[in-house]
């Protein structure tokens, strides 16, 4: 690499590392505000021997070193999914390398996506055995999904608890400047006011105030490290000796069971560590590694050491142990202001992360439909979900008013944090075997070493069930139940559609002789099927014997990849002969992709259809052109013809076009393109260099005339207007179902369906263009 490029790359990483401070490390950096206070809240007491404070410092140091530094920075961050991180990234990687996904309408053609990359290392015998075991048993697929959903729900719980404990801890610094009577009536209202302001500003988007975030966190890190260094030098220069693991043994020897229970407060020092992995896609591995290793980690260690040095020479009562007591009196007000700003930044980061993970859950069919608002046209992934925002605000305020102290909030937050980390450890162990093709002994060592540390902390949090830890457990059970009911019923609806779809012969038989007429315009029939005619369309034609001149069966599906490049998003083909003017469009999204608004989607779809028509008529006569006479027997029986990936082409800008084989892969669609159908055959043409040219040079050429006529029909239909035909479904359990299934489907799912957003809102369909078709699903 040239010297100049190396300097540019280094500068780029440094800029990203600086920007990551405000987004990734806000939550982790403010933990010194409440770790010692939570630890000494009840179980142990600070004594003259200093064994307790030195033991806690030793635990904090080694916990920060082993979990965020070794586990996340050096191992877990490498388990990215095309640069993306988080629980769904791990699950997505596992699903691509082993057939354990429960997502419907999977296609072999999805594997040709450029982001659907697999590790090229050859599978080894032990790797294959683990993979075969995972793929063989269906209950393991369900267990894996429930594990992922559990981790997701704990992240949502953390998004509820972190703003409450962060802002409350920062505002608690007022206790040193006012009497106890005034303090207890001031902290709660001020905390609630800040939380209301924080959530009320969410609809503006992080990008509007994001440039403030990194300087605030940087200033806070400099503040705690400088104060820590001052306290070490001034109060106890020998506090570094407490970093020895020996002091952990002394701590347990003296405190015994109470010391183990106090670990629920110590673990709060690593809250926010998961954000390093979850926000990986916004930055890079190198940037996050640089920021944590060379700035955040040293600043946190100095901050904790400084507090311990102060407390070793001053022994306040347990209820007086606070971060602010170690701050010189002349600096308390500036430090309090910076702490409040830093707590707001940390809360903002976790709230944005909650929006993101709920959007991903919705993409995978695991969460009821909610409205997703994109707050930035330039910054990728900036979203806002109104319903979730206000629910989180109400729950945050309820937690603040209900708990009223850091101890209960810390118990609840600690359990949620450790649950997420345990899920990440388990999923990473599977990635090591299935995706990295490493020996199972390596995954087992990883699982046992880090899992044992996290289980120790988790058990200490779990024992505080009645003292706040019940909240994330209750919330997780509630959310997992909702998500699993929604996912289960969605899969059953898809299976119903699959078994009740209509044949192509039925569509071809529709004509004037049956009283069916074609009206001007484009009809977009939305369905989850990737082949066949959906039952809701037959219901539509039965009740209204007419359909549009141009008919497009649209399937919006999600692929287990973080994002799908726009050039590979549309998979287009014909349904029936060219004269029918009927097409199939499969629109593929990744779990981090965001839906287009309806105007851009409509115009984009018409442009892609025009490109497909030009491409289809340009192919040699021997290939399938949508004419049934040229289709194979299997094509005719299934009613499906060749599908082509139509990307950003220049077909419409010139009389001719060129197609690069590397960019435009095409697939033949035969039969049902689902994982469940063993007999499915999908042939992918291998990418090769080919150039197809087309120009309308001979106006008398029958092929050119037909192509021009089809394009004119498409443009005329677009000018006449577009109708969006969606199903309005009611689901009920099949007769004879178990009590649990009837409760889940008849009451649970239908209640959620009635009280969440409709598919028209999610797809941003204008009411004037909407046609809803009522359907009853018996599953």
């Amino acid at each position: 690499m040239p010297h100049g490029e190396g300097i540019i790359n280094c500068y780029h990483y440094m800029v990203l590392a600086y920007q990551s401070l405000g987004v990734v490390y806000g939550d982790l950096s403010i933990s010194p505000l409440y770790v010692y206070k939570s630890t000494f809240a009840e179980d142990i007491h600070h004594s003259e021997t200093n064994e307790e404070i030195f033991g806690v410092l030793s635990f904090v140091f080694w916990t920060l070193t082993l979990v965020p530094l070794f586990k996340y920075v050096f191992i877990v961050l490498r388990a990215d999914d095309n640069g993306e991180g988080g629980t769904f990234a791990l699950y997505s990687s596992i699903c691509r390398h082993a057939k354990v996904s429960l997502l419907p309408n999977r296609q072999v053609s999805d594997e040709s996506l450029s982001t659907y990359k697999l590790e090229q290392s050859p599978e080894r015998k032990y790797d294959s055995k683990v993979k075969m075991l995972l793929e063989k048993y269906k209950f393991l697929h369900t267990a894996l999904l429930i594990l992922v959903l559990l981790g997701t729900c704990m992240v949502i719980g953390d998004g509820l608890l972190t703003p409450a404990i962060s802002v409350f801890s920062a505002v608690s610094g007022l206790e040193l400047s006012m009497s106890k009577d005034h303090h207890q009536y001031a902290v709660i209202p001020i905390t609630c006011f800040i939380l209301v302001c924080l959530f009320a500003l969410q609809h503006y988007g992080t990008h509007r105030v994001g440039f403030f975030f990194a300087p605030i966190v940087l200033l806070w890190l400099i503040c705690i490290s400088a104060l820590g260094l001052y306290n070490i030098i001034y109060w106890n220069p020998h506090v570094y000796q407490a970093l020895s693991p020996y002091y952990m043994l002394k701590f347990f020897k003296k405190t015994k069971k109470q010391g183990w229970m106090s670990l629920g407060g110590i673990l709060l020092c690593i809250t926010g560590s998961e954000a390093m992995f979850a926000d990986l896609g916004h930055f890079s591995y190198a940037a996050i590694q640089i920021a944590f290793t060379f700035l955040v980690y040293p600043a946190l260690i100095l901050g904790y050491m400084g507090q311990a040095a102060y407390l070793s020479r001053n022994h306040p009562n347990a209820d007086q142990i606070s971060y602010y007591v170690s701050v010189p009196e002349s600096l308390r007000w500036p430090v309090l202001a910076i702490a409040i700003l830093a707590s707001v930044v940390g809360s903002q980061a976790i709230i944005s992360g909650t929006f993101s993970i709920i959007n991903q859950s919705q993409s995978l069919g695991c969460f009821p439909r909610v409205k997703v608002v994109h707050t930035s046209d330039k910054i990728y992934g900036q979203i806002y979900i109104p319903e979730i925002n206000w629910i989180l605000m109400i729950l945050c305020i309820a937690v603040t008013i209900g708990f009223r102290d850091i101890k209960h909030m810390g118990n609840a937050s600690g359990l949620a944090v450790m649950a997420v980390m345990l899920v990440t450890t388990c999923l990473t162990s599977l990635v090591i075997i299935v995706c990295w093709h490493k020996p199972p002994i390596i995954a087992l060592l990883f699982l046992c070493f880090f899992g044992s540390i996290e289980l120790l902390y988790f058990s200490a949090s779990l024992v505080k069930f009645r003292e706040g830890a019940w909240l994330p457990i209750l919330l997780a059970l509630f959310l997992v139940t909702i998500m699993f009911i929604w996912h289960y019923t969605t899969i059953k609806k898809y299976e119903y559609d699959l078994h009740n779809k209509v044949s192509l012969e039925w569509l071809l038989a529709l004509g004037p002789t049956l009283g069916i007429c074609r009206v001007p315009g484009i009809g977009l029939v939305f369905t989850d099927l990737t082949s066949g005619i959906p039952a809701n369309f037959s219901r539509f034609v039965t009740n209204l014997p007419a359909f549009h001149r141009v008919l497009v069966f649209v399937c919006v599906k999600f692929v287990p990849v973080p994002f799908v490049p726009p050039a590979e998003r549309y998979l287009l083909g014909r349904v029936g002969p060219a004269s029918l003017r009927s097409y199939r469009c499969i629109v593929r999204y990744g779990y981090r992709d965001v839906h287009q608004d309806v105007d851009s989607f409509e115009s984009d779809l018409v442009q892609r259809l025009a490109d497909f028509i030009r491409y289809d008529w340009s192919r040699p006569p021997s290939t399938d052109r949508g004419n049934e006479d040229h289709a194979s027997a299997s094509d005719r029986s299934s009613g499906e013809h060749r599908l082509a990936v139509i990307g950003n082409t220049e077909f419409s800008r010139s009389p001719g076009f060129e197609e690069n084989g590397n960019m435009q892969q095409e697939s033949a669609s035969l039969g049902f393109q689902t994982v469940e159908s063993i007999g499915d055959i999908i042939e992918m043409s291998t990418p090769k260099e080919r150039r197809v040219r087309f120009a309308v040079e001979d106006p008398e050429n029958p092929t050119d005339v037909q192509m021009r006529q089809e394009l004119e029909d498409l443009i005329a239909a677009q000018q006449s207007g577009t109708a969006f035909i969606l199903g309005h479904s009611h689901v009920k359990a099949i007769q004879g179902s178990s009590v649990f299934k009837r409760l889940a489907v008849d009451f649970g799912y239908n209640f959620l369906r009635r009280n969440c957003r409709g598919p028209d809102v999610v797809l941003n369909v204008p009411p004037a263009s909407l046609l809803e078709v009522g359907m009853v699903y018996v599953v």
Side-chain angles (χ1 to χ4, degrees), residues 135-156:
E135 294 176 345
K136 182 178 180 180
Y137 297 103
K138 191 81 172 180
F139 79 91
L140 289 178
H141 305 178
T142 306
L144 185 63
L145 177 65
I146 292 176
L147 181 67
V148 171
L149 294 183
L150 182 62
T152 302
C153 293
M154 286 299 181
V155 172
I156 297 172

Side-chain angles (χ1 to χ4, degrees), residues 155-168 190-206 209 213 343-355 358 375 383-400:
V155 172
I156 297 172
D158 196 24
L160 156 67
L161 293 163
T162 294
I165 189 173
S166 300
V167 177
F168 185 85
I190 293 174
T191 301
C192 292
F193 174 75
I194 293 174
L195 289 173
V196 169
C197 293
L198 175 63
F199 283 99
L201 295 174
Q202 289 299 313
H203 69 281
Y204 289 109
T206 305
V209 290
F213 286 6
S343 68
V344 169
V345 171
S347 302
Q348 171 64 53
I350 195 67
I351 292 169
S352 300
T354 304
F355 292 156
I358 287 177
T375 58
I383 60 173
Y384 165 69
I385 303 178
E387 302 99 315
I388 303 301
N389 182 65
W390 301 121
I391 291 173
L392 281 178
M393 185 193 76
I394 293 171
L395 292 178
C396 267
I397 293 174
V399 167
T400 304

Side-chain angles (χ1 to χ4, degrees), residues 586-602:
I586 299 173
V587 190
R588 301 179 289 189
Y589 287 97
Y591 56 83
R592 282 192 181 271
D593 276 329
V594 289
H595 280 293
Q596 299 164 278
D597 62 82
V598 68
D599 294 329
S600 63
F601 173 75
E602 181 183 342

